[in-house]
Amino acid sequence: MVVNLNYVDESGEDLPFGDTPLYPAAHLKIYKTVGDKEVPIPFSINNEDRLIVLNLHEYKNGTFFIALTPDIVDKITCIGEIIPDEPCQNYKVGHLKQGDRNVQYDEQKQVWKFIK
């Protein structure tokens, strides 16, 4: 599953991109935990579209973490859904939670917007 995401503030301002980003995309750390170890989750940065692109190929349901800074870490819960009418059981992200908050999905831009 490929997931496009971005962080914005309450007014919709972009936080990881721009001239003086609050949480620079290049400094993000995204990982899951296995036992007491942090296992990186592959991601790329699309500066042109201002997106963080995750590859959640192992996730149907699960939890991962996004460290914006060493002191600011979001726990993200991912719930996958089976894509109907697919010959193989392919999944898409059906729902994301940022801590206890539901994450909004922008259908038009196909991006999950995390609010900070």
Side-chain angles (χ1 to χ4, degrees):
M1 294 186 292
V2 175
V3 178
N4 297 321
L5 63 93
N6 197 359
Y7 273 88
V8 296
D9 65 15
E10 294 286 342
S11 66
E13 291 296 316
D14 190 305
L15 298 175
F17 298 96
D19 294 333
T20 55
L22 185 58
Y23 307 115
H27 298 144
L28 296 177
K29 183 177 170 185
I30 304 174
Y31 61 93
K32 64 182 178 178
T33 57
V34 178
D36 61 350
K37 293 187 179 190
E38 294 178 0
V39 178
I41 293 177
F43 72 96
S44 60
I45 299 167
N46 180 333
N47 285 308
E48 183 178 324
D49 294 327
R50 296 180 171 226
L51 297 174
I52 300 154
V53 183
L54 293 177
N55 183 351
L56 297 178
H57 60 88
E58 299 175 7
Y59 283 80
K60 294 176 186 145
N61 297 310
T63 300
F64 62 94
F65 301 88
I66 300 176
L68 300 169
T69 70
D71 298 327
I72 302 174
V73 179
D74 280 339
K75 177 181 176 183
I76 309 300
T77 305
C78 174
I79 299 170
E81 296 177 346
I82 295 175
I83 300 172
D85 303 324
E86 287 283 323
C88 299
Q89 281 195 342
N90 289 324
Y91 284 83
K92 68 175 186 169
V93 174
H95 186 75
L96 289 177
K97 287 188 90 164
Q98 175 187 9
D100 293 333
R101 181 189 302 183
N102 291 324
V103 179
Q104 297 300 312
Y105 184 68
D106 183 329
E107 290 277 347
Q108 184 179 17
K109 294 182 180 180
Q110 297 181 335
V111 61
W112 293 88
K113 294 206 175 191
F114 294 86
I115 297 174
K116 218 38 172 172

